[in-house]
Amino acid sequence: MKLRDKVIGEFERLFSESPTWITKSPGRVNLIGEHTDYNDGFVLPMAINYSSWIALRSRNDSRIIVTALDFDESLEFDLNSISKGENDWREYIKGVAWALQQDGHQLTGWEGVLSGNVPIGAGLSSSAALELALARAFSLVSGFEWDPARMALTCQKAENLWVGVSSGIMDQMISASGKKDFALLIDCRSLETKHIPLPQNTQIVILDTNTRRGLVDSAYNERREQCEEVARHFKVKALRDINLEQLETEKSRLDKLLYHRSRHIVSENQRVLQAVNALSTGDAKNFGILMNASHISMRDDFEISRKEMDQMVEIAQGQTGCYGARMTGGGFGGCAVALVKNDKVDSFHKNVVSLYREKTRFDSRVYISYASDGTSYETIANNIV
């Protein structure tokens, strides 16, 4: 059953009435530009064909009542007295409501049903997909204007200050502003965006290593602090503001570990801009070379990979028809992403799954993905069932 039909059907079962609206927001895969977002740099993600869905209707009070089908659990709270209490999916709902209120929005209560198929913990931003679907729901019932960039910032605030993950703006921005058949270049300082065409006769393939990490408990926040320390050394706002030549000049005066962390960020920003040039001319080969170089940098300088991930990437890179592959997401597990020729996708899929199991004894999941539109909604006729 399609998720759209699933959330509608469960809403009708619970409330004996069709929902007024459905909101939908996609996960994302980052093609290149890892950990550059919170360094005011450049990233190149695409919204994927896996999403969070919410079926809902407004209430005439300030209560929020949500049933999460994927967890078989519910949440109820009052918008006038939001408090932390759980360390799970519920905090994202309360966090988005809190952040919207912090930004001056007067919120109205609603009740609904949510479900999603973005793999959790795989580095495909299931959290941002949920956050933007929630923000769209609040905008519909509360009647405030939908501004994708502003809503992305609000949802980032919810993730940073309520949930406690020091993520950059990339995940929320691509979920809000994706476009079918295009990746999105994001300048994470100015929030300027540009849709970049993907190469013809190729497919983006996501490779789930089936290894998981929790961003709050991982070294993600530590990496951010290390980057900020180097920026302070250079007396700049962020590592976006230095180049490789400047970094090499100061190498002897930097802690060795901090030098490697910052070398990844500075070189990765450069690779993103080179990747945009390659894609703009349809140069899949050069784009693949840049993907491979990005993985080496994440593995050796930023140290956010792991053995199983490196094995997956190596297997993918060795397959006929694969232009390039790299780890994607925050690191320490999750997914890799590969650019593959259309006519080689089936054999690529089969070989990668088989060889990965042989090397690691892990079963992997492969998602043949395409670039999709960002956050959207649909109005449903509100009829009695």
Side-chain angles (χ1 to χ4, degrees):
M1 180 186 294
K2 292 182 178 180
L3 280 179
R4 177 186 180 279
D5 298 333
K6 182 180 177 181
V7 294
I8 290 175
E10 186 61 20
F11 187 98
E12 291 174 342
R13 189 189 72 80
L14 288 173
F15 301 109
S16 299
E17 190 173 278
S18 295
T20 307
W21 301 283
I22 298 174
T23 68
K24 174 189 176 185
S25 192
R28 66 96 184 97
V29 63
N30 193 24
L31 302 182
I32 195 164
E34 222 64 70
H35 287 257
T36 49
D37 56 349
Y38 57 77
N39 287 285
D40 280 1
F42 302 97
V43 290
L44 189 68
M46 76 173 206
I48 59 176
N49 50 311
Y50 298 89
S51 302
S52 286
W53 293 75
I54 303 174
L56 71 143
R57 68 179 180 186
S58 61
R59 293 175 56 89
N60 58 7
D61 58 20
S62 57
R63 299 201 69 75
I64 303 295
I65 303 174
V66 182
T67 296
L69 300 185
D70 304 322
F71 302 102
D72 193 25
E73 295 174 342
S74 296
L75 168 68
E76 182 172 351
F77 66 95
D78 194 292
L79 289 167
N80 297 319
S81 56
I82 307 175
S83 62
K84 295 183 181 180
E86 298 83 14
N87 188 27
D88 57 16
W89 63 273
R90 298 173 179 87
E91 294 308 311
Y92 288 95
I93 301 177
K94 292 187 285 186
V96 169
W98 170 83
L100 286 167
Q101 290 176 332
Q102 289 288 302
D103 286 353
H105 296 291
Q106 300 296 317
L107 301 185
T108 300
W110 55 272
E111 53 200 5
V113 172
L114 69 85
S115 184
N117 60 1
V118 184
I120 296 174
L124 301 178
S125 203
S126 58
S127 59
L130 174 58
E131 289 160 2
L132 268 297
L134 289 164
R136 197 66 179 105
F138 276 111
S139 74
L140 290 167
V141 300
S142 304
F144 59 82
E145 182 181 358
W146 178 256
D147 181 312
R150 184 179 178 188
M151 288 301 105
L153 285 167
T154 299
C155 289
Q156 182 198 13
K157 179 188 292 186
E159 182 126 11
N160 291 173
L161 302 182
W162 190 275
V163 179
V165 178
S166 299
S167 62
I169 190 59
M170 173 182 64
D171 295 352
Q172 290 81 11
M173 186 64 81
I174 183 60
S175 288
S177 305
K179 181 179 178 181
K180 184 180 179 182
D181 299 328
F182 288 81
L184 186 70
L185 172 65
I186 305 172
D187 180 332
C188 296
R189 170 167 290 169
S190 68
L191 299 188
E192 291 180 15
T193 61
K194 182 179 180 181
H195 289 101
I196 307 298
L198 295 170
Q200 293 185 350
N201 302 314
T202 64
Q203 191 79 52
I204 298 295
V205 183
I206 300 170
L207 309 166
D208 189 344
T209 65
N210 211 18
T211 57
R212 292 292 183 265
R213 81 286 178 272
L215 280 179
V216 174
D217 299 323
S218 75
Y220 183 99
N221 292 345
E222 178 185 73
R223 294 299 187 280
R224 182 166 186 162
E225 291 165 4
Q226 291 167 340
C227 292
E228 291 169 350
E229 184 174 346
V230 178
R232 287 193 295 271
H233 172 86
F234 280 94
K235 296 181 172 59
V236 295
K237 182 181 178 184
L239 291 181
R240 151 79 172 269
D241 299 311
I242 66 172
N243 57 39
L244 285 171
E245 183 180 358
Q246 290 172 295
L247 182 61
E248 291 301 318
T249 299
E250 288 291 304
K251 180 178 179 180
S252 63
R253 286 181 282 274
L254 284 172
D255 175 84
K256 183 178 179 181
L257 181 64
L258 294 180
Y259 164 76
H260 284 284
R261 297 292 188 259
S262 51
R263 185 170 70 170
H264 165 69
I265 299 300
V266 176
S267 63
E268 186 81 343
N269 270 323
Q270 187 177 68
R271 280 187 289 271
V272 174
L273 298 179
Q274 291 171 336
V276 168
N277 289 335
L279 291 178
S280 297
T281 59
D283 188 351
K285 181 179 179 180
N286 192 38
F287 180 68
I289 291 171
L290 292 164
M291 293 178 75
N292 294 340
S294 175
H295 184 78
I296 292 171
S297 182
M298 290 186 286
R299 182 192 68 198
D300 297 346
D301 277 347
F302 221 57
E303 295 184 287
I304 53 173
S305 190
R306 58 188 290 167
K307 181 178 71 173
E308 295 87 357
M309 179 64 71
D310 295 336
Q311 290 172 318
M312 175 66 86
V313 169
E314 182 181 347
I315 290 166
Q317 291 171 345
Q319 300 307 304
T320 301
C322 179
Y323 289 105
R326 63 186 287 277
M327 189 204 81
T328 187
F332 315 104
C335 290
V337 59
L339 181 68
V340 183
K341 290 182 179 179
N342 273 344
D343 60 358
K344 299 296 183 182
V345 168
D346 289 344
S347 60
F348 176 87
H349 183 171
K350 179 181 178 181
N351 291 341
V352 166
V353 169
S354 175
L355 289 170
Y356 182 71
R357 183 185 299 117
E358 180 182 311
K359 283 196 172 187
T360 68
R361 299 192 178 183
F362 278 95
D363 288 325
S364 58
R365 297 181 180 89
V366 176
Y367 304 99
I368 311 303
S369 191
Y370 58 83
S372 71
D373 290 328
T375 307
S376 61
Y377 80 96
E378 177 184 352
T379 302
I380 306 296
N382 201 13
N383 298 317
I384 300 298
V385 175

